[in-house]
Amino acid sequence: MSSETTHVSYLEYQGRYKGLRGWIFSTDHKRIGIMYLIAATVFFAAGVVFGFLMRLELLYPGKTIVSAQTYNTFFTLHGVIMIFLFVIPGLPAIFGNFFLPILIGAKDVAFPRLNLLSWWLYVIGGALVLLSILLPGGPADTGWTFYIPYSVRTGTNVIFTVFAAFILGFSSILTGINFVTTIHRLRAPGMGWFKMPLFTWSLYATAWIQVLATPIIGITLLLIVVERVFGVGLFDPALGGDPVLFQHLFWIYSHPAVYIMILPAMGVVSEIIPVFAHRTIFGYKFIAFSSLAIAVFGSLVWAHHMFAAGMSDFGQFVFSLLTFLVAIPSAIKVFNWTATLYKGSISLEPPMAFALAFIFLFSIGGLTGVMQGALSVDIHITDTSFIVAHFHYVMFGGTGFGVFAALHYWLPKMFGRMYNKKAAYSAFWFLFIGFNVLYFPMFIMGWLGMPRRYYDYLPEYTIYHQISTVGSWILITGLIIMFTNLYLSLKRGKKVTARNIWGGETLEWQIETPPTYENFEEIPLITEGPYEYKDNDQDILEEKEVV
Amino acid sequence: MESSELIHRPQYGKYILVWIALLMLTVITVTVAGINFGVLTLATALTVASVKSYLVLTVFMHLKTEQTAFRIFVGVALFFIIISFVLLFADYSFM
Amino acid sequence: MSNQEHAMAHRDDVGSRMGMWLFLFTELLLFGGLFFLYSVYRFVNQEEFHIAAKELDTIIGTFNTAILLTSSLTMAMSISAIQKNNKRLSIFFQLITILLGFGFMVNKYFEWTAKINHGIFPGSEELLNRGSGEILFFGLYYVMTGLHGLHVLIGIFIIGTMTWFTSRDIITKESYVKLEAAGLYWHLVDIIWIFLFPLFYLIT
Amino acid sequence: MIAQSVNYAHSVDEAFLFILIVSVFFLVLITGLIITFIIKYNRKKNPKPTNIHGNLPLEILWTIIPTVLVLIMFWYGWTGYKEITSPPDDSMEIDVTAQMWVWKFTYKNGITSDSLYIPVNRPVKAHLTSLDVNHSFYIPEFRIKKDVIPGRKNFTWFIADKVGKYQILCAEYCGLNHSYMLNKVIVLTADEFSIWMQEKLNEKNNQDTVSADNINNQSVAK
Ligand code: HEA
Ligand code: HEA
Ligand code: CUA
Ligand SMILES: [Cu+2]
């Protein structure tokens, strides 16, 4: 390869195909990352629209804009799209694909063609979900949990949606396989496990969950299809089946899945905080291992979603206890991030603002999660809007803000253009305030007894619903500002050619902006940890000083 | 690849021995199932199946000669299945 | 594709096998979900599972077990053969493996049709008149052996492709990791059968 | 806080309150520290950062403290839950039947009713049956919720300690009219309850005789 091609950015690089085909058939991890970004944004926009419409419907009791059936399909589509098409693939597939190989000093992932296949599966799965809306029968109206027996009885296109989720599962598995192998096999010389950036650690833990847990939901969803098409009684109570067993199988995957969502976001935050505090991360090993601990413990707590379903007392006891233990590694992370700010030199650039908001919102989400882990309390609040608030705080306040942080942190690197920082800040405040106005009232409502998945509600909850709906408008304003700002920056933002925009010490800041096709001219030799900040005057080593 | 050369020495003889062992185990498990052992029937059947899988895993699938990481991987996967199983029965066996 | 250049620049057989093993885990857990179902339902309906299992033909089951075990042997030997640079022998063993796979499926076919002719299939009147434990048993029987059969077919297809690769010298003494991966897949299918067999045929 | 109208509501609320206080404490602590650090170690004020790689005693400390707290929370939740699931033997037993999208309550003497009438201060054990899909029997003021699942024998129990009307909701998604699957619990004094029951019984007897009459008339007409 001539030295000329090595200096061409991956955006301009010409492979065998040109134009659009040069993208959709490209096996370059960076292009695949961008394609994921585009596809995910499209699906995400669909999900947001459903969320927005739901809030409109709930503005007044009774019918406001749509019928009950339509509302039921709204929250199902909203849930399915957000979970399977946005938060699960979001960070690993977009930023993981783009930056994982760079962060460990590799030229690509271990199986580039598998990577492309995984993108195609993702798009096909997403298209199936959207297709189910148009086909006769209408989109599924089961909720994203597809609980049997309702999912077998309803006349809507459940098969489509379920099959789409099955395909999306395989897309996710392929990403997982790719990442585990990449991290094991392709680290640059000298990059020991404890010299890896923390984002890599979190992707590694995530990848294992993807590989091990996803097949279980694959088969479970397939059984819904089998049950509907062939009438095989596996869960149908009329034929001796046990609907609660379905719930077990569903959550064996879907609980670990929530850690697929949050771990990469935690990784992003662990990258951003030391960079903008301009100092080394506090407790590297604790953060790294807590990712693994979350992955392990996270696989053991699934039945906390079923505390009201009638499990045996012993089951309740065990799952509640384990649920509390899974909170500990998250707590460790939060404390270490906070400690990283201590004696730093903090510049509050937009990515940092989002990362700090992440800590705050995720803490609220996590702490309310802990409340739900307490048996007697959960009996009261399960299946109420308290839960809805909890998971929006963790998924959207957590992962969503993690994605925002990542966008503001890495987009200039990916495209060589800088966004308008003022606009970024104003988007941030709209998002942050709107978010809390939208979801906080749901905690109160939920505690007062407002069940979830309710098309209509009793008049005493009206005020909370209305505050919440107003919140959604503020939030969406912020969203529009943010995406417009980022989009415009790609068109006519200030050009960035400096390698290291933020003063980071990980490898992506040592290569060209935007990265060249091959990432590295020469595979680097790694000699020190990822967050050394050698330039700082005093270098206090481990265990010397108590904070 | 150097290591993989070393790992995969052709070994027809060993394979055939394993194959014979597998067939014998099959015969054993079928015969034992004929005799009624009560609760033990299931236990023996599963033990024999595990031994058979162990042979296939280590010899046919070369797990014995692969890098340590592979064995850890298998351990992780098995751990996940077993712990899920145990927790599932934490509910069902106390109904 | 020039994209491949940087992937193919260095070949990593260990990495390829690692990827394959990870994929095998997902297959294992796919069946794992079904084994969970099986064990819970069996735990709840012990008696009826026993009665239902009596109706399965242990002889066919045993025979099929022997077939699959043998095919695993020939699969392993085909890799040894290619390592010894004996292309002919390797292809021979692969073909035998495929043949045994088909033998397995033929047996399965007769087994299933016999059951269906007796009116035992999901949703059949005969079955619906029985206890729920038996309905579950046969439901699981069809789903699990069916999914396994599907895997055998996929395996046959993959090995067939490998045979073609071997004959075209894409798989050679120097580069046979594809064949190894196919072998791993085939052995996993075998292992799953090793568990299906006692759980369905031997618990009478 | 929402009205407590049942014997064990206070223990549920206590558990909630305890966790809430701990949570608020940590949230304020963390947010406070973050804001303080942002101000104090701002780029302008503190241009020279200090590298601190970690601190083992501190890590151990902030692992152990949350663990202990969390175990206490667990215990609160568990003991409260035991209360919720241990009905006394002398409970009044009522069958609750859920069906898309109505509740039906059947008393031991065969009387049925659309709303749940119960006497105050008397343990009531509700056996939950579903005729179609999953539902969930939820009374917020009583802090109880239990899924009603076809093929499962779930139950719940409570002692209502205040006379009044309370909301029953369906809390497990069950299709089109899930949000309209509502009804009331009507808690009566013991006297009122027996009067109500007596009326119901009379009504039922009348109906029986009326329908018996109808049949007689029809056969006569023939
Ligand atoms: C990103 C996704 C995500 C994450 C990270 C979490 C994290 C957690 N979740 Fe959540 N959860 C969901 C997504 C998520 N959840 C979803 C989608 C649902 C609903 C699904 C549905 O039904 O549709 C749900 C539902 C759900 C339930 C079931 C509720 C019900 O339906 O009845 C429970 C119950 O235990 C629970 C618990 C927890 C706990 C204990 C954590 C913990 O991991 C949280 C740990 C974090 C912290 C604790 C905060 C940080 C720590 C500190 C600030 C230090 C101090 C802390 C202590 C002293 C404890 N969650
Ligand atoms: C990540 C997941 C996610 C996200 C972001 C959202 C976003 C929103 N959600 Fe939620 N929601 C779910 C996941 C999510 N939701 C799930 C799983 C359910 C349960 C479904 C079920 O019951 O089955 C649910 C249910 C649910 C309900 C309850 C329905 C009911 O029970 O009756 C409501 C009600 O108001 C609601 C509202 C909203 C609103 C107004 C938005 C938004 O429209 C707000 C606007 C969004 C934004 C301002 C931007 C967020 C941006 C990002 C996260 C990153 C973008 C980055 C890139 C594309 C790169 N959602
Ligand atoms: Cu019944 Cu919801
Ligand atoms: Cu969970």
Side-chain angles (χ1 to χ4, degrees), chain A residues 144 258-259 304-305 369 372-373 378 382 387 390-391 394 452, chain D residues 26:
Chain A
W144 81 279
V258 311
Y259 298 113
H304 66 206
H305 296 271
Q372 291 159 199
D378 187 63
T382 182
I387 309 300
H390 157 71
F391 66 67
V394 273
R452 64 190 279 206
Chain D
F26 275 101

Side-chain angles (χ1 to χ4, degrees), chain C residues 8-200:
Chain C
M8 294 297 163
H10 72 300
R11 204 180 88 200
D12 180 10
D13 285 354
V14 180
S16 303
R17 285 204 303 274
M18 185 177 276
M20 192 61 204
W21 273 96
L22 290 166
F23 179 71
L24 295 188
F25 296 155
T26 72
E27 291 283 0
L28 193 67
L29 279 145
L30 203 69
F31 281 94
L34 289 170
F35 279 114
F36 290 165
L37 271 184
Y38 174 93
S39 33
V40 168
Y41 284 147
R42 187 191 140 103
F43 181 75
V44 179
N45 308 284
Q46 307 215 356
E47 276 310 306
E48 295 187 3
F49 264 53
H50 276 280
I51 297 168
K54 285 218 173 76
E55 282 180 51
L56 293 185
D57 194 333
T58 316
I59 301 192
I60 294 197
T62 314
F63 191 51
N64 257 348
T65 309
I67 292 186
L68 267 197
L69 290 175
T70 313
S71 76
S72 255
L73 170 73
T74 52
M75 187 69 225
M77 301 226 283
S78 82
I79 297 172
S80 292
I82 201 78
Q83 286 171 330
K84 289 196 170 163
N85 208 7
N86 195 338
K87 179 173 154 187
R88 276 262 183 82
L89 190 62
S90 177
I91 291 182
F92 171 75
F93 278 132
Q94 289 175 40
L95 289 176
I96 297 281
T97 312
I98 292 175
L99 216 64
L100 289 168
F102 274 121
F104 179 89
M105 289 314 290
V106 169
N107 264 334
K108 262 274 93 83
Y109 172 79
F110 283 121
E111 199 187 338
W112 273 39
T113 40
K115 280 275 146 317
I116 292 171
N117 287 337
H118 279 98
I120 301 178
F121 54 89
S124 75
E125 221 169 297
E126 160 81 21
L127 195 56
L128 289 180
N129 285 332
R130 302 196 181 183
S132 53
E134 291 190 49
I135 303 181
L136 290 171
F137 179 88
F138 282 107
L140 283 166
Y141 164 75
Y142 278 107
V143 171
M144 291 176 83
T145 58
L147 189 66
H148 179 262
L150 191 68
H151 279 78
V152 173
L153 287 178
I154 296 173
I156 289 175
F157 176 76
I158 295 175
I159 300 173
T161 317
M162 293 308 134
T163 315
W164 185 60
F165 280 176
T166 318
S167 67
R168 299 274 315 272
D169 287 328
I170 297 173
I171 290 172
T172 59
K173 181 180 191 302
E174 278 70 44
S175 162
Y176 53 85
V177 67
K178 287 197 180 70
L179 187 61
E180 281 188 297
L184 286 174
Y185 185 82
W186 191 254
H187 296 309
L188 181 86
V189 172
D190 193 12
I191 288 184
I192 289 166
W193 182 257
I194 288 178
F195 280 94
L196 285 181
F197 170 60
L199 289 180
F200 280 103

Side-chain angles (χ1 to χ4, degrees), chain A residues 402-446:
Chain A
V403 173
F404 297 159
L407 282 171
H408 287 89
Y409 181 54
W410 276 321
L411 226 50
K413 183 82 208 178
M414 294 161 79
F415 293 99
R417 300 268 188 176
M418 186 46 118
Y419 46 83
N420 180 327
K421 286 192 188 169
K422 276 222 183 77
Y425 285 121
S426 62
F428 170 81
W429 283 111
F430 272 106
L431 285 168
F432 183 75
I433 293 168
F435 181 91
N436 287 293
V437 177
L438 167 55
Y439 296 114
F440 201 82
M442 293 191 189
F443 283 127
I444 303 171
M445 262 196 286

Side-chain angles (χ1 to χ4, degrees), chain A residues 37 40-41 44 47-49 51-52 54-55 58 71 75-76 78-80 82-83 86-87 94-95 143-145 388 391-392 395-396 399-401 403-404 407 431 438-439 442 451-455 468 472 475-476 479 482-483:
Chain A
L37 176 65
T41 311
F44 174 71
V48 170
V49 169
F52 176 71
M54 274 194 289
R55 282 313 334 157
L58 294 175
Y71 181 80
F75 67 69
T76 306
H78 173 75
V80 168
M82 287 302 191
I83 300 263
F86 177 64
V87 268
I94 301 172
F95 296 101
W144 81 279
T145 47
V388 179
F391 66 67
H392 281 96
M395 289 202 292
F396 181 7
T399 312
F401 274 66
V403 173
F404 297 159
L407 282 171
L431 285 168
L438 167 55
Y439 296 114
M442 293 191 189
R452 64 190 279 206
R453 296 172 175 168
Y454 260 35
Y455 164 69
S468 171
S472 78
L475 185 71
I476 288 180
L479 187 72
M482 185 186 78
F483 277 114

